[in-house]
Amino acid sequence: PLDDGRTVSIHSTRRIGVELQVVEPGTWKSACDDLTKLLKWLTDDEWDLTFTRASDGYSAQLDSNPERLSGAEEVALFSGGLDSLAGAYVRIREHRRPIYLLSSLGTSVREHFLKRACTALDPLPHRWIGFRHHLRQHGQLVTPNRTRGFLFLSAAVAAADALGINTVAMYECGVGALNLPMNGAQSGAQNTRATHPWTLKQMERLLTHALQKEFRLELPFLFHTKGELCRQVGAELEILGLDASRHVMDFYAPMLEI
């Protein structure tokens, strides 16, 4: 329900107009059809995008991650959950090269959770990068549900490009990557499609055109179940599991008097 008492259908399609300032408007105008197609698939909305040349103040993207990891070839989205934590462990161990882990930071609780989750990977070469967004509604920080996947993917791509890396990975397993409906009432954008294979192929096509170089979005554990991924971790799973869950209780313990 809205503030004035009206209601809006969950399945309502919005028409959203956005003007974007970019360095090369011509490049993005030629990719506009692919971008709007992707956004419609992710959100069930109609998008009208306008690209204009950025002013001098926006002509350069600041490199916020100047330190480089020798041998790193991918940036991975990192939520701190089982898939991303176990996936990062397996990926680093099997490929014997470091990776960058990128996370969206929201509340202080989430930031604490992510930092503690990363400690489980301390024996392995990696570097964690946290980014903040500043989307607000009525003064409150928000992450739009329909476009959050696009936001996180875009942040990972921006970080990878700044680091000179052409691969972004997501460690979601099988059904979790497809995100099938939990029941018949869920449809369309009610289910995130951020890691759906079609989303990644469409995003790859868009990025290859916009960046003028081949760019890969990978789901290395698409054909694994969580159980299979855990078996690949092996004896270290208990250590990872304890670090991934106990730190949450440690943080809340003073509040809950545990």
Side-chain angles (χ1 to χ4, degrees):
L2 302 178
D3 292 340
D4 60 4
R6 292 179 297 137
T7 58
V8 177
S9 167
I10 292 176
H11 302 286
S12 63
T13 295
R14 304 166 296 181
R15 180 168 290 278
I16 302 173
V18 183
E19 179 178 331
L20 300 163
Q21 292 192 349
V22 295
V23 176
E24 298 290 344
T27 298
W28 286 102
K29 286 177 181 177
S30 63
C32 189
D33 287 346
D34 286 340
L35 179 55
T36 53
K37 184 178 180 181
L38 174 60
L39 288 171
K40 183 174 182 178
W41 156 258
L42 290 171
T43 66
D44 287 339
D45 295 318
E46 299 290 342
W47 292 79
D48 296 317
L49 305 179
T50 303
F51 298 97
T52 58
R53 186 170 299 280
S55 62
D56 292 341
Y58 296 94
S59 61
Q61 178 175 307
L62 294 178
D63 182 359
S64 59
N65 309 294
E67 295 185 65
R68 302 295 191 263
L69 285 175
S70 177
E73 296 181 3
E74 73 182 37
V75 172
L77 285 172
F78 185 74
S79 67
L82 176 61
D83 287 8
S84 63
L85 188 59
Y89 184 90
V90 170
R91 195 78 162 166
I92 299 171
R93 187 182 63 184
E94 290 190 349
H95 288 256
R96 298 183 179 181
R97 61 174 180 254
I99 60 174
Y100 291 94
L101 302 172
L102 184 130
S103 307
S104 168
L105 303 179
T107 64
S108 59
V109 173
R110 175 167 173 76
E111 184 171 352
H112 177 85
F113 167 85
L114 288 164
K115 287 179 178 179
R116 289 296 300 272
C118 281
T119 62
L121 298 171
D122 279 350
L124 301 175
H126 70 281
R127 179 156 294 140
W128 178 68
I129 304 169
F131 80 93
R132 302 180 188 278
H133 65 78
H134 301 283
L135 301 176
R136 295 183 178 274
Q137 185 176 25
H138 306 305
Q140 300 296 316
L141 191 68
V142 297
T143 301
N145 289 331
R146 297 193 193 187
T147 53
R148 61 181 293 149
F150 182 76
L151 171 66
F152 297 159
L153 275 173
S154 299
V157 168
D161 188 50
L163 291 163
I165 294 173
N166 296 337
T167 300
V168 167
M170 290 133 283
Y171 301 145
E172 294 288 338
C173 293
V175 175
L178 296 176
N179 198 35
L180 300 176
M182 298 293 290
N183 56 57
Q186 286 185 307
S187 64
Q190 290 180 345
N191 297 309
T192 177
R193 296 164 174 164
T195 55
H196 192 285
W198 189 91
T199 301
L200 303 187
K201 294 306 295 183
Q202 188 71 8
M203 190 84 167
E204 275 187 352
R205 176 179 172 179
L206 173 66
L207 293 170
T208 298
H209 177 88
L211 299 176
Q212 297 296 300
K213 64 180 180 181
E214 183 177 358
F215 207 98
R216 295 181 57 81
L217 302 176
E218 297 185 347
L219 278 172
F221 303 108
L222 176 61
F223 298 108
H224 290 65
T225 65
K226 290 181 185 291
E228 289 170 336
L229 179 59
C230 289
R231 280 193 289 273
Q232 283 188 261
V233 175
E236 290 82 3
L237 178 64
E238 183 178 0
I239 298 173
L240 293 183
L242 288 172
D243 281 345
S245 58
R246 182 181 294 163
H247 64 263
V248 177
M249 295 306 297
D250 288 346
F251 183 84
Y252 280 111
M255 308 175 199
L256 301 175
E257 297 183 354
I258 294 177

